[in-house]
Amino acid sequence: MILMNNFKAEPPELRKAMLQAASRVLESGWYVLGNEVKHFEEQWSRVCGVSHGIGVGNGMDAIEMALLGLSIGAGDEVITTPMTAFATILAIIRCGAKPVLADIDSETALLSTESVRRCLSAKTKAVVLVHLYGQVRQMDEWVIMCGENKIMLIEDCAQAHQATWQGKVSGSFGQAGAYSFYPTKNLGAVGDAGMLVTSNSALAKKTRQLRNYGQSERYLHPVIGMNSRLDEVQAAMLSVRMNWLTEFTNRRRQIAAAYHSKLDNPLVKHLIKPEQKSAHVYHLFVITCLKRDALQAHLLKKGVQSLIHYPVPVHQQKSCSEIARDPSGLHKSEKHASMCLSLPCHPQMSDADIEWVIDSVNSFQAD
């Protein structure tokens, strides 16, 4: 079976280095908010080209703390996409704000600026822009639009580690970027982990308080915070895994290039290629097919695992049926959700694996 992710196939040298990193933490006797966290925060913020990195428990908390740190809450509206992991919406709800859903662009599955403009109101305080599947596009338009309307731009970078547009890395365009280091991400921990990145010193200071019970110093709590700290073991592991990120990303791009050039089943369509090679890190390689469920069953018979990201858009979830949305509807999101399918695209795939996936997709025929 060709899996969507195969951690057991990672290089032995990487696994050895990770074990050494965990041992280093155990030997230090310091397990929470120590030197490993500080070191990784410095490493990742430098990669992102920003001044501050604040390690937190997970990517959802990073979004929530970005909103709270920018004083966004009750009575405010935050626009985002229905094609995202549910954590994006939960973060907006948890900070007390009201999510408003805009539609996507059919060719990329990314949030549509045209739809966002239809969703703007006097209560709009921010846009949470999700770099879905690992792609960064048209960031000049987003920066200009948010500036013109005096709203905050927050980037959900959970799938876009090191995606770069015109020399700038995801997370550096807006007021803050929120990263997840969930195990399946391009840069993944061995559990939950996240980080907020920003060049806003005031936001960084407040986030450091929010993640640790709202403390400014021990036992002093100027704000109401939460418990969301990146722990030392995960930080040490991530520092090690960072050394492999460029190589792994290049392999993902090689796989994607093979898919783009060799998938030729007329029943299957690709999302358009990135404007720049560096702008897509292929956390996921997504195709669309009107007979998606039949294609997925066909692939499984061929020994190829596939997943749907995401089968039920946010506004069709029972808990969000009354959520505000583009007055023109979310038809493109609904259509994409009914057709999208993610193929294996992880760096441990062999050339033979890639060819098997391609042959399996090309051999699919609708009944």
Side-chain angles (χ1 to χ4, degrees):
M1 176 70 74
I2 300 174
L3 302 174
M4 286 295 295
N5 293 285
N6 190 354
F7 302 122
K8 292 183 178 181
E10 289 183 335
E13 309 97 292
L14 172 56
R15 297 177 69 85
K16 181 179 179 181
M18 290 169 64
L19 289 170
Q20 290 172 342
S23 178
R24 185 172 67 242
V25 174
L26 291 174
E27 290 173 2
S28 76
W30 193 339
Y31 302 152
V32 177
L33 293 183
N35 290 329
E36 296 288 352
V37 169
K38 182 180 178 181
H39 176 62
F40 180 59
E41 288 174 337
E42 292 172 349
Q43 281 184 300
W44 192 246
S45 60
R46 188 163 53 248
V47 166
C48 294
V50 299
S51 304
H52 307 281
I54 302 92
V56 298
N58 53 71
M60 186 183 86
D61 287 356
I63 299 172
E64 181 181 354
M65 280 185 266
L67 294 166
L68 289 171
L70 294 168
S71 300
I72 296 170
D76 297 330
E77 294 180 352
V78 178
I79 301 172
T80 194
T81 173
M83 285 305 301
T84 184
F86 202 65
T88 309
I89 302 300
L90 280 177
I92 298 170
I93 294 171
R94 281 170 56 93
C95 83
K98 178 182 179 182
V100 179
L101 301 176
D103 210 358
I104 64 170
D105 177 274
S106 296
E107 292 187 314
T108 65
L110 296 175
L111 196 60
S112 160
T113 53
E114 180 182 353
S115 180
V116 167
R117 291 183 185 277
R118 291 195 294 267
C119 294
L120 291 170
S121 78
K123 296 181 179 179
T124 305
K125 292 295 187 291
V127 171
V128 175
L129 179 62
V130 179
H131 298 313
L132 193 68
Y133 305 147
Q135 53 186 328
V136 178
R137 292 180 185 267
Q138 300 176 325
M139 291 308 299
D140 53 346
E141 293 185 24
W142 287 105
V143 171
I144 291 169
M145 187 194 74
C146 289
E148 289 175 344
N149 292 279
K150 295 181 172 59
I151 58 179
M152 306 288 188
L153 175 62
I154 298 168
E155 300 172 67
D156 182 341
C157 309
Q159 300 182 359
H161 301 73
Q162 279 191 314
T164 304
W165 190 84
Q166 293 189 353
K168 292 189 67 175
V169 179
S170 60
S172 67
F173 295 92
Q175 278 67 39
Y179 278 93
S180 167
F181 303 112
Y182 187 76
T184 58
K185 305 303 183 186
N186 289 31
L187 178 60
V190 291
D192 276 317
M195 189 177 292
L196 182 149
V197 298
T198 184
S199 289
N200 182 326
S201 297
L203 174 58
K205 180 180 179 181
K206 190 168 183 181
T207 303
R208 292 188 192 282
Q209 294 177 352
L210 287 170
R211 71 173 175 183
N212 193 27
Y213 309 132
Q215 291 187 111
S216 57
E217 53 186 286
R218 197 166 189 177
Y219 303 130
L220 292 181
H221 302 260
V223 297
I224 299 298
M226 61 186 76
N227 180 6
S228 181
R229 301 171 299 218
L230 175 61
D231 70 61
E232 288 285 283
V233 170
Q234 299 297 357
M237 296 279 193
L238 287 163
S239 291
V240 168
R241 296 185 67 83
M242 268 192 65
N243 297 327
W244 293 76
L245 181 57
T246 297
E247 179 182 332
F248 284 177
T249 300
N250 288 338
R251 182 56 174 170
R252 288 177 184 270
R253 287 178 176 144
Q254 290 172 0
I255 296 167
Y259 287 166
H260 275 303
S261 64
K262 295 183 179 181
L263 289 175
D264 62 1
N265 190 321
L267 299 174
V268 172
K269 293 184 178 180
H270 306 201
L271 298 179
I272 63 171
K273 293 181 179 180
E275 298 162 312
Q276 306 158 28
K277 182 180 178 180
S278 64
H280 205 323
V281 294
Y282 292 100
H283 171 63
L284 296 168
F285 188 94
V286 177
I287 57 175
T288 60
C289 179
L290 287 171
K291 300 290 185 180
R292 189 263 311 284
D293 294 345
L295 172 58
Q296 187 173 34
H298 168 80
L299 291 176
L300 188 60
K301 289 181 181 178
K302 291 284 189 176
V304 177
Q305 186 183 41
S306 60
L307 292 175
I308 303 169
H309 299 87
Y310 298 92
V312 183
V314 170
H315 64 291
Q316 292 182 342
Q317 300 285 348
K318 183 178 180 180
S319 57
C320 293
S321 59
E322 301 301 319
I323 204 165
R325 63 198 71 173
D326 182 340
S328 296
L330 301 171
H331 309 299
K332 293 178 182 177
S333 298
E334 292 164 1
K335 184 176 181 180
H336 182 76
S338 71
M339 299 191 302
C340 62
L341 188 67
S342 302
L343 300 178
C345 189
H346 64 81
Q348 281 67 55
M349 291 178 69
S350 67
D351 290 347
D353 290 338
I354 298 167
E355 292 301 321
W356 185 256
V357 172
I358 291 167
D359 291 345
S360 297
V361 172
N362 287 343
S363 67
F364 172 68
Q365 297 179 346
D367 293 334

